[in-house]
PDB file of all heavy atoms in Angstrom:
ATOM      1  N   ASP A1429      11.973 -68.315  -1.217  1.00 98.00           N
ATOM      2  CA  ASP A1429      12.000 -66.965  -1.777  1.00 98.00           C
ATOM      3  C   ASP A1429      12.516 -65.950  -0.754  1.00 98.00           C
ATOM      4  O   ASP A1429      13.299 -65.065  -1.095  1.00 98.00           O
ATOM      5  CB  ASP A1429      10.616 -66.559  -2.281  1.00 98.00           C
ATOM      6  CG  ASP A1429      10.169 -67.378  -3.490  1.00 98.00           C
ATOM      7  OD1 ASP A1429      10.998 -68.111  -4.072  1.00 98.00           O
ATOM      8  OD2 ASP A1429       8.974 -67.290  -3.847  1.00 98.00           O
ATOM      9  N   ALA A1430      12.098 -66.093   0.503  1.00 97.00           N
ATOM     10  CA  ALA A1430      12.566 -65.177   1.550  1.00 97.00           C
ATOM     11  C   ALA A1430      14.062 -65.337   1.778  1.00 97.00           C
ATOM     12  O   ALA A1430      14.799 -64.344   1.874  1.00 97.00           O
ATOM     13  CB  ALA A1430      11.807 -65.425   2.855  1.00 97.00           C
ATOM     14  N   ALA A1431      14.537 -66.574   1.841  1.00 98.00           N
ATOM     15  CA  ALA A1431      15.961 -66.821   2.065  1.00 98.00           C
ATOM     16  C   ALA A1431      16.799 -66.318   0.895  1.00 98.00           C
ATOM     17  O   ALA A1431      17.838 -65.680   1.094  1.00 98.00           O
ATOM     18  CB  ALA A1431      16.210 -68.312   2.299  1.00 98.00           C
ATOM     19  N   THR A1432      16.344 -66.570  -0.314  1.00 98.00           N
ATOM     20  CA  THR A1432      17.091 -66.136  -1.496  1.00 98.00           C
ATOM     21  C   THR A1432      17.172 -64.613  -1.561  1.00 98.00           C
ATOM     22  O   THR A1432      18.238 -64.054  -1.818  1.00 98.00           O
ATOM     23  CB  THR A1432      16.445 -66.681  -2.782  1.00 98.00           C
ATOM     24  OG1 THR A1432      16.385 -68.102  -2.695  1.00 98.00           O
ATOM     25  CG2 THR A1432      17.248 -66.291  -4.006  1.00 98.00           C
ATOM     26  N   GLY A1433      16.055 -63.953  -1.324  1.00 98.00           N
ATOM     27  CA  GLY A1433      16.049 -62.485  -1.323  1.00 98.00           C
ATOM     28  C   GLY A1433      16.988 -61.918  -0.278  1.00 98.00           C
ATOM     29  O   GLY A1433      17.738 -60.972  -0.542  1.00 98.00           O
ATOM     30  N   ASP A1434      16.966 -62.510   0.910  1.00 98.00           N
ATOM     31  CA  ASP A1434      17.844 -62.065   1.993  1.00 98.00           C
ATOM     32  C   ASP A1434      19.313 -62.306   1.655  1.00 98.00           C
ATOM     33  O   ASP A1434      20.163 -61.445   1.887  1.00 98.00           O
ATOM     34  CB  ASP A1434      17.461 -62.788   3.289  1.00 98.00           C
ATOM     35  CG  ASP A1434      18.230 -62.262   4.479  1.00 98.00           C
ATOM     36  OD1 ASP A1434      18.238 -61.034   4.699  1.00 98.00           O
ATOM     37  OD2 ASP A1434      18.838 -63.091   5.196  1.00 98.00           O
ATOM     38  N   LEU A1435      19.611 -63.474   1.085  1.00 98.00           N
ATOM     39  CA  LEU A1435      20.998 -63.790   0.719  1.00 98.00           C
ATOM     40  C   LEU A1435      21.514 -62.834  -0.359  1.00 98.00           C
ATOM     41  O   LEU A1435      22.619 -62.298  -0.248  1.00 98.00           O
ATOM     42  CB  LEU A1435      21.107 -65.237   0.241  1.00 98.00           C
ATOM     43  CG  LEU A1435      22.480 -65.701  -0.264  1.00 98.00           C
ATOM     44  CD1 LEU A1435      23.561 -65.495   0.794  1.00 98.00           C
ATOM     45  CD2 LEU A1435      22.414 -67.156  -0.692  1.00 98.00           C
ATOM     46  N   LEU A1436      20.727 -62.575  -1.373  1.00 98.00           N
ATOM     47  CA  LEU A1436      21.150 -61.661  -2.442  1.00 98.00           C
ATOM     48  C   LEU A1436      21.320 -60.236  -1.916  1.00 98.00           C
ATOM     49  O   LEU A1436      22.258 -59.537  -2.300  1.00 98.00           O
ATOM     50  CB  LEU A1436      20.159 -61.697  -3.601  1.00 98.00           C
ATOM     51  CG  LEU A1436      20.139 -63.004  -4.406  1.00 98.00           C
ATOM     52  CD1 LEU A1436      18.982 -63.018  -5.390  1.00 98.00           C
ATOM     53  CD2 LEU A1436      21.468 -63.213  -5.119  1.00 98.00           C
ATOM     54  N   ALA A1437      20.445 -59.829  -1.011  1.00 98.00           N
ATOM     55  CA  ALA A1437      20.528 -58.471  -0.458  1.00 98.00           C
ATOM     56  C   ALA A1437      21.706 -58.306   0.501  1.00 98.00           C
ATOM     57  O   ALA A1437      22.199 -57.186   0.684  1.00 98.00           O
ATOM     58  CB  ALA A1437      19.227 -58.128   0.270  1.00 98.00           C
ATOM     59  N   SER A1438      22.190 -59.399   1.074  1.00 98.00           N
ATOM     60  CA  SER A1438      23.292 -59.320   2.041  1.00 98.00           C
ATOM     61  C   SER A1438      24.601 -58.874   1.410  1.00 98.00           C
ATOM     62  O   SER A1438      25.472 -58.352   2.095  1.00 98.00           O
ATOM     63  CB  SER A1438      23.489 -60.672   2.737  1.00 98.00           C
ATOM     64  OG  SER A1438      24.138 -61.594   1.863  1.00 98.00           O
ATOM     65  N   GLY A1439      24.782 -59.128   0.121  1.00 97.00           N
ATOM     66  CA  GLY A1439      26.010 -58.752  -0.568  1.00 97.00           C
ATOM     67  C   GLY A1439      27.155 -59.737  -0.391  1.00 97.00           C
ATOM     68  O   GLY A1439      28.223 -59.544  -0.968  1.00 97.00           O
ATOM     69  N   VAL A1440      26.962 -60.798   0.371  1.00 98.00           N
ATOM     70  CA  VAL A1440      28.047 -61.740   0.625  1.00 98.00           C
ATOM     71  C   VAL A1440      28.523 -62.422  -0.662  1.00 98.00           C
ATOM     72  O   VAL A1440      29.716 -62.689  -0.812  1.00 98.00           O
ATOM     73  CB  VAL A1440      27.656 -62.766   1.721  1.00 98.00           C
ATOM     74  CG1 VAL A1440      26.635 -63.760   1.233  1.00 98.00           C
ATOM     75  CG2 VAL A1440      28.867 -63.489   2.261  1.00 98.00           C
ATOM     76  N   LEU A1441      27.635 -62.669  -1.600  1.00 98.00           N
ATOM     77  CA  LEU A1441      28.023 -63.309  -2.857  1.00 98.00           C
ATOM     78  C   LEU A1441      28.825 -62.371  -3.753  1.00 98.00           C
ATOM     79  O   LEU A1441      29.609 -62.822  -4.596  1.00 98.00           O
ATOM     80  CB  LEU A1441      26.779 -63.811  -3.598  1.00 98.00           C
ATOM     81  CG  LEU A1441      25.936 -64.858  -2.870  1.00 98.00           C
ATOM     82  CD1 LEU A1441      24.668 -65.162  -3.661  1.00 98.00           C
ATOM     83  CD2 LEU A1441      26.736 -66.123  -2.614  1.00 98.00           C
ATOM     84  N   ASP A1442      28.655 -61.061  -3.563  1.00 97.00           N
ATOM     85  CA  ASP A1442      29.355 -60.071  -4.384  1.00 97.00           C
ATOM     86  C   ASP A1442      30.833 -59.950  -4.019  1.00 97.00           C
ATOM     87  O   ASP A1442      31.605 -59.354  -4.764  1.00 97.00           O
ATOM     88  CB  ASP A1442      28.686 -58.697  -4.232  1.00 97.00           C
ATOM     89  CG  ASP A1442      27.247 -58.712  -4.722  1.00 97.00           C
ATOM     90  OD1 ASP A1442      26.973 -59.388  -5.735  1.00 97.00           O
ATOM     91  OD2 ASP A1442      26.403 -58.056  -4.087  1.00 97.00           O
ATOM     92  N   ARG A1443      31.230 -60.487  -2.881  1.00 96.00           N
ATOM     93  CA  ARG A1443      32.622 -60.374  -2.425  1.00 96.00           C
ATOM     94  C   ARG A1443      33.559 -61.353  -3.125  1.00 96.00           C
ATOM     95  O   ARG A1443      34.774 -61.238  -2.987  1.00 96.00           O
ATOM     96  CB  ARG A1443      32.688 -60.617  -0.920  1.00 96.00           C
ATOM     97  CG  ARG A1443      31.895 -59.618  -0.119  1.00 96.00           C
ATOM     98  CD  ARG A1443      31.985 -59.912   1.366  1.00 96.00           C
ATOM     99  NE  ARG A1443      30.869 -59.293   2.052  1.00 96.00           N
ATOM    100  CZ  ARG A1443      30.322 -59.747   3.157  1.00 96.00           C
ATOM    101  NH1 ARG A1443      30.789 -60.837   3.728  1.00 96.00           N
ATOM    102  NH2 ARG A1443      29.298 -59.125   3.705  1.00 96.00           N
ATOM    103  N   VAL A1444      33.003 -62.317  -3.848  1.00 96.00           N
ATOM    104  CA  VAL A1444      33.819 -63.345  -4.493  1.00 96.00           C
ATOM    105  C   VAL A1444      34.397 -62.800  -5.792  1.00 96.00           C
ATOM    106  O   VAL A1444      33.682 -62.255  -6.628  1.00 96.00           O
ATOM    107  CB  VAL A1444      32.982 -64.611  -4.765  1.00 96.00           C
ATOM    108  CG1 VAL A1444      33.768 -65.624  -5.567  1.00 96.00           C
ATOM    109  CG2 VAL A1444      32.500 -65.214  -3.457  1.00 96.00           C
ATOM    110  N   GLN A1445      35.698 -62.954  -5.947  1.00 94.00           N
ATOM    111  CA  GLN A1445      36.377 -62.549  -7.174  1.00 94.00           C
ATOM    112  C   GLN A1445      37.147 -63.729  -7.738  1.00 94.00           C
ATOM    113  O   GLN A1445      37.898 -64.352  -7.008  1.00 94.00           O
ATOM    114  CB  GLN A1445      37.330 -61.378  -6.903  1.00 94.00           C
ATOM    115  CG  GLN A1445      36.643 -60.101  -6.488  1.00 94.00           C
ATOM    116  CD  GLN A1445      35.657 -59.615  -7.531  1.00 94.00           C
ATOM    117  OE1 GLN A1445      35.894 -59.709  -8.730  1.00 94.00           O
ATOM    118  NE2 GLN A1445      34.522 -59.104  -7.072  1.00 94.00           N
ATOM    119  N   PRO A1446      37.014 -64.085  -8.972  1.00 94.00           N
ATOM    120  CA  PRO A1446      36.077 -63.535  -9.955  1.00 94.00           C
ATOM    121  C   PRO A1446      34.678 -64.097  -9.732  1.00 94.00           C
ATOM    122  O   PRO A1446      34.532 -65.220  -9.266  1.00 94.00           O
ATOM    123  CB  PRO A1446      36.648 -64.022 -11.283  1.00 94.00           C
ATOM    124  CG  PRO A1446      37.297 -65.324 -10.965  1.00 94.00           C
ATOM    125  CD  PRO A1446      37.834 -65.156  -9.566  1.00 94.00           C
ATOM    126  N   PRO A1447      33.669 -63.281 -10.046  1.00 95.00           N
ATOM    127  CA  PRO A1447      32.296 -63.779  -9.932  1.00 95.00           C
ATOM    128  C   PRO A1447      32.000 -64.770 -11.059  1.00 95.00           C
ATOM    129  O   PRO A1447      32.724 -64.790 -12.052  1.00 95.00           O
ATOM    130  CB  PRO A1447      31.455 -62.508 -10.051  1.00 95.00           C
ATOM    131  CG  PRO A1447      32.316 -61.520 -10.728  1.00 95.00           C
ATOM    132  CD  PRO A1447      33.742 -61.898 -10.472  1.00 95.00           C
ATOM    133  N   PRO A1448      30.978 -65.545 -10.967  1.00 97.00           N
ATOM    134  CA  PRO A1448      30.038 -65.694  -9.868  1.00 97.00           C
ATOM    135  C   PRO A1448      30.595 -66.605  -8.776  1.00 97.00           C
ATOM    136  O   PRO A1448      31.539 -67.365  -9.007  1.00 97.00           O
ATOM    137  CB  PRO A1448      28.817 -66.332 -10.534  1.00 97.00           C
ATOM    138  CG  PRO A1448      29.386 -67.159 -11.640  1.00 97.00           C
ATOM    139  CD  PRO A1448      30.594 -66.386 -12.131  1.00 97.00           C
ATOM    140  N   ALA A1449      30.000 -66.512  -7.609  1.00 97.00           N
ATOM    141  CA  ALA A1449      30.388 -67.384  -6.502  1.00 97.00           C
ATOM    142  C   ALA A1449      29.998 -68.823  -6.827  1.00 97.00           C
ATOM    143  O   ALA A1449      28.990 -69.063  -7.474  1.00 97.00           O
ATOM    144  CB  ALA A1449      29.689 -66.933  -5.228  1.00 97.00           C
ATOM    145  N   VAL A1450      30.834 -69.756  -6.379  1.00 96.00           N
ATOM    146  CA  VAL A1450      30.538 -71.183  -6.565  1.00 96.00           C
ATOM    147  C   VAL A1450      30.006 -71.725  -5.245  1.00 96.00           C
ATOM    148  O   VAL A1450      30.637 -71.583  -4.198  1.00 96.00           O
ATOM    149  CB  VAL A1450      31.790 -71.971  -7.017  1.00 96.00           C
ATOM    150  CG1 VAL A1450      31.467 -73.452  -7.134  1.00 96.00           C
ATOM    151  CG2 VAL A1450      32.330 -71.416  -8.333  1.00 96.00           C
ATOM    152  N   LEU A1451      28.840 -72.342  -5.322  1.00 97.00           N
ATOM    153  CA  LEU A1451      28.132 -72.826  -4.151  1.00 97.00           C
ATOM    154  C   LEU A1451      28.008 -74.348  -4.218  1.00 97.00           C
ATOM    155  O   LEU A1451      27.672 -74.900  -5.258  1.00 97.00           O
ATOM    156  CB  LEU A1451      26.742 -72.193  -4.142  1.00 97.00           C
ATOM    157  CG  LEU A1451      25.783 -72.492  -3.026  1.00 97.00           C
ATOM    158  CD1 LEU A1451      26.282 -71.853  -1.736  1.00 97.00           C
ATOM    159  CD2 LEU A1451      24.412 -71.931  -3.378  1.00 97.00           C
ATOM    160  N   ALA A1452      28.303 -75.012  -3.109  1.00 95.00           N
ATOM    161  CA  ALA A1452      28.066 -76.451  -2.997  1.00 95.00           C
ATOM    162  C   ALA A1452      26.954 -76.655  -1.969  1.00 95.00           C
ATOM    163  O   ALA A1452      26.853 -75.915  -0.988  1.00 95.00           O
ATOM    164  CB  ALA A1452      29.333 -77.181  -2.553  1.00 95.00           C
ATOM    165  N   ILE A1453      26.127 -77.636  -2.199  1.00 96.00           N
ATOM    166  CA  ILE A1453      25.023 -77.921  -1.291  1.00 96.00           C
ATOM    167  C   ILE A1453      25.482 -78.962  -0.278  1.00 96.00           C
ATOM    168  O   ILE A1453      25.953 -80.040  -0.636  1.00 96.00           O
ATOM    169  CB  ILE A1453      23.779 -78.432  -2.053  1.00 96.00           C
ATOM    170  CG1 ILE A1453      23.359 -77.424  -3.121  1.00 96.00           C
ATOM    171  CG2 ILE A1453      22.638 -78.728  -1.091  1.00 96.00           C
ATOM    172  CD1 ILE A1453      23.034 -76.037  -2.613  1.00 96.00           C
ATOM    173  N   SER A1454      25.342 -78.615   0.987  1.00 96.00           N
ATOM    174  CA  SER A1454      25.712 -79.517   2.072  1.00 96.00           C
ATOM    175  C   SER A1454      24.454 -80.217   2.590  1.00 96.00           C
ATOM    176  O   SER A1454      23.455 -80.318   1.884  1.00 96.00           O
ATOM    177  CB  SER A1454      26.418 -78.729   3.178  1.00 96.00           C
ATOM    178  OG  SER A1454      26.934 -79.602   4.160  1.00 96.00           O
ATOM    179  N   ARG A1455      24.484 -80.604   3.818  1.00 95.00           N
ATOM    180  CA  ARG A1455      23.391 -81.372   4.406  1.00 95.00           C
ATOM    181  C   ARG A1455      22.193 -80.480   4.756  1.00 95.00           C
ATOM    182  O   ARG A1455      22.347 -79.399   5.299  1.00 95.00           O
ATOM    183  CB  ARG A1455      23.876 -82.073   5.661  1.00 95.00           C
ATOM    184  CG  ARG A1455      22.828 -82.928   6.308  1.00 95.00           C
ATOM    185  CD  ARG A1455      23.279 -83.567   7.583  1.00 95.00           C
ATOM    186  NE  ARG A1455      24.703 -83.511   7.744  1.00 95.00           N
ATOM    187  CZ  ARG A1455      25.425 -84.371   8.415  1.00 95.00           C
ATOM    188  NH1 ARG A1455      24.845 -85.367   9.015  1.00 95.00           N
ATOM    189  NH2 ARG A1455      26.716 -84.235   8.531  1.00 95.00           N
TER     190      ARG A1455
END
């Protein structure tokens, strides 16, 4: 929950055009 809140508040996902950002899970 802390990491997700911090990530959403950072705005880094909002920079992706077109939204939503596509995320792959690594190791």
Side-chain angles (χ1 to χ4, degrees):
D1429 293 349
T1432 303
D1434 186 52
L1435 176 56
L1436 291 171
S1438 76
V1440 72
L1441 299 175
D1442 298 322
R1443 299 180 201 151
V1444 174
Q1445 294 301 322
V1450 177
L1451 181 69
I1453 304 302
S1454 187
R1455 182 183 345 208

